[in-house]
């Protein structure tokens, strides 16, 4: 079964006066990313490949998560993931995840929430409802597909296994 992990970046610092692409994480964001890293370290099916937006806040989210969870990934930084909509995200998954059984994407809203809503055909109804209402910073959704690889998966027919928000980990 193929798996897709969609992680929205952690909370960023709006007060830095930097262009959007260059905004770093704030303290709350670093704490949330570390929590998520520790939580992910318990996942036995964790992907080896991460496809990450080139934005500073996504890169810092991944770095903090990896350090806190003592996780190691092959990382592909994908410029087109910054601000990507659903079709671009789908294209990135099919092209870059290819023959992988699982991949973690680190990116942005509204594209990640839209992609998650589109993929969530089955799963716990209250969890799907939460995902539809709000996809907060550092939220993670995990989907499973009836295919051996993501390249072969019908990304519109996922089973939402988990939707985890930082507040769920407190």
């Amino acid at each position: 079964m193929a798996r897709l992990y969609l992680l929205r970046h952690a909370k960023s610092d709006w007060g830095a006066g930097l262009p959007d692409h260059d905004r770093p994480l704030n303290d709350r964001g670093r704490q949330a990313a570390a929590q998520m890293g520790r939580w992910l370290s318990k996942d036995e099916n964790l992907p080896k490949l991460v496809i990450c937006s080139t934005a500073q806040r996504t890169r810092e989210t991944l770095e903090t998560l990896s350090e806190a969870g003592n996780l190691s990934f092959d990382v592909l930084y994908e410029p087109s993931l910054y601000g990507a909509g659903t079709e671009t995200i789908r294209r990135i998954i099919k092209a870059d995840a290819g023959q992988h059984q699982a991949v973690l994407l680190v990116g942005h809203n509204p594209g990640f929430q839209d992609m998650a809503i589109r993929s969530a055909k089955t799963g716990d109804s209250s969890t799907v409802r939460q995902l539809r209402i709000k996809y907060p910073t550092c939220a993670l959704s995990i989907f499973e597909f009836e295919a051996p690889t993501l390249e072969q998966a019908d990304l519109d027919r996922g089973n939402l296994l988990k939707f985890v928000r930082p507040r769920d980990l407190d």
Side-chain angles (χ1 to χ4, degrees):
M1 300 284 253
R3 284 191 177 204
L4 175 63
Y5 293 64
L6 294 174
L7 177 68
R8 183 179 175 200
H9 65 79
K11 195 89 168 149
S12 63
D13 185 355
W14 282 89
L18 297 169
D20 184 69
H21 190 273
D22 300 331
R23 283 189 290 122
L25 295 183
N26 64 20
D27 289 340
R28 186 172 143 206
R30 282 187 286 281
Q31 290 172 358
Q35 279 182 299
M36 192 60 71
R38 289 187 292 274
W39 184 84
L40 273 171
S41 70
K42 299 172 185 139
D43 187 334
E44 295 175 3
N45 300 305
L46 196 61
K48 301 292 184 230
L49 176 65
V50 173
I51 303 172
C52 185
S53 161
T54 56
Q56 181 65 28
R57 60 191 177 273
T58 56
R59 294 166 66 94
E60 282 186 40
T61 298
L62 178 58
E63 180 181 310
T64 303
L65 174 145
S66 298
E67 287 176 9
N70 196 28
L71 302 169
S72 178
F73 302 103
D74 294 329
V75 180
L76 171 62
Y77 292 101
E78 177 54 60
S80 64
L81 198 51
Y82 175 72
T86 304
E87 291 309 314
T88 300
I89 294 168
R90 292 165 60 82
R91 190 177 71 249
I92 290 167
I93 292 167
K94 293 293 185 176
D96 296 335
Q99 295 300 312
H100 289 84
Q101 182 179 15
V103 67
L104 166 64
L105 270 69
V106 184
H108 311 268
N109 260 4
F112 270 39
Q113 182 174 20
D114 293 344
M115 181 69 193
I117 290 168
R118 187 169 171 178
S119 293
K121 291 305 176 226
T122 61
D124 177 72
S125 61
S126 66
T127 305
V128 172
R129 191 170 37 258
Q130 287 174 353
L131 180 147
R132 289 177 182 274
I133 292 170
K134 187 172 182 180
Y135 205 102
T137 53
C138 213
L140 172 72
S141 56
I142 304 173
F143 296 91
E144 193 169 68
F145 300 91
E146 293 282 338
T149 66
L150 285 165
E151 182 180 58
Q152 297 167 314
D154 180 350
L155 298 175
D156 292 337
R157 299 232 168 265
N159 177 36
L160 178 62
L161 298 176
K162 295 199 183 290
F163 179 57
V164 181
R165 302 162 298 184
R167 72 178 189 178
D168 300 328
L169 304 175
D170 290 336

